[in-house]
């Protein structure tokens, strides 16, 4: 599947919907939306994009980097809580997001956007599992995609079988080792 990526950071509803309008005529299968922390009204933007795209896919990349901030690694940074982020993810699911790619890292923790080799393989799996469990619990199950040093078939299978996630993203693995 080929998805048009749209960064919602600083985007207003009209410009995001305008970009998404290119999806059907551009041969894309849907959109991959992402936003940096505190992006304006992503739920309203998703509702408008869903009304434009109909059955085409909407994937949303979300970060639970708030868990890192709350745990004390970066105390003092202004961010939303994990429960607020989960509430936003619930609202996004209700607005029409078909699947979520979950990880850590953002403007508040840029060193986590792409996990280094110093972090363990599957280092973001718990974040994906938290979102997957939350969405199932509230009755809005959606496929959850995990990423973060997931290029080890045995570990990937364990995460899939253990209900951490529904899919594994290997995009970083292709960049690290394109062979």
């Amino acid at each position: 599947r080929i998805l048009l990526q749209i960064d919602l950071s600083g985007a207003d509803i009209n410009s995001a919907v305008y970009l998404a309008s290119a999806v059907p005529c551009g041969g894309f299968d849907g959109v991959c939306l992402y936003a940096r922390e505190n992006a304006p009204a992503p739920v309203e933007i998703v509702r408008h994009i869903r009304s434009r795209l109909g059955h085409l896919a909407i994937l949303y990349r979300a970060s639970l980097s708030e868990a890192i901030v709350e745990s004390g690694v970066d105390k003092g940074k202004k961010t939303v809580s994990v429960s607020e982020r989960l509430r936003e993810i619930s609202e996004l699911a209700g607005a029409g997001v078909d699947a979520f790619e979950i990880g850590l890292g953002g403007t508040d923790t840029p060193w986590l956007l792409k996990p280094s080799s110093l972090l363990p393989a599957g280092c973001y799996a718990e974040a994906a599992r938290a979102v997957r469990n939350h969405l199932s619990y509230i009755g809005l199950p959606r496929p959850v995609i995990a990423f973060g040093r997931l290029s080890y078939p045995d570990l990937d299978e364990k995460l899939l079988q253990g209900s951490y996630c529904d899919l594994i993203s290997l995009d970083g693995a292709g960049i690290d080792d394109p062979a």
Side-chain angles (χ1 to χ4, degrees):
R1 299 263 175 220
I2 300 174
L3 303 177
L4 175 66
Q5 291 195 35
I6 300 175
D7 182 354
L8 299 180
S9 305
D12 61 34
I13 291 175
N14 292 330
S15 59
V17 172
Y18 176 76
L19 286 171
S21 298
V23 169
C25 58
F28 296 99
D29 298 305
V31 294
C32 174
L33 306 173
Y34 63 97
R36 292 174 185 86
E37 288 77 7
N38 305 320
V43 174
E44 282 305 309
I45 292 173
V46 167
R47 281 192 185 107
H48 283 81
I49 289 174
R50 171 51 67 211
S51 70
R52 268 306 164 110
L53 293 185
H55 70 282
L56 296 176
I58 298 177
L59 170 70
Y60 194 90
R61 287 186 178 165
S63 170
L64 286 189
S65 60
E66 294 80 15
I68 299 297
V69 176
E70 286 182 2
S71 70
V73 174
D74 268 343
K75 278 199 173 193
K77 297 261 186 175
K78 185 175 182 179
T79 187
V80 299
S81 69
V82 172
S83 61
E84 288 172 316
R85 180 65 73 214
L86 289 174
R87 185 172 48 253
E88 180 183 83
I89 288 170
S90 303
E91 291 171 0
L92 289 164
V97 170
D98 297 302
F100 291 91
E101 184 176 57
I102 303 298
L104 300 174
T107 55
D108 58 342
T109 53
W111 43 274
L112 286 173
L113 284 171
K114 183 183 178 309
S116 81
S117 60
L118 300 175
L119 292 172
C123 54
Y124 300 163
E126 286 295 336
R129 181 162 70 169
V131 170
R132 187 176 189 273
N133 288 344
H134 174 74
L135 290 171
S136 293
Y137 178 76
I138 64 167
L140 290 171
R142 298 289 187 275
V144 171
I145 304 163
F147 72 96
R149 303 209 51 238
L150 293 174
S151 57
Y152 303 95
D154 292 343
L155 173 61
D156 298 350
E157 187 63 30
K158 179 181 171 186
L159 295 177
L160 291 167
Q161 294 299 321
S163 299
Y164 282 79
C165 56
D166 301 289
L167 300 161
I168 301 286
S169 173
L170 298 174
D171 61 347
I175 294 168
D176 292 342
D177 184 10

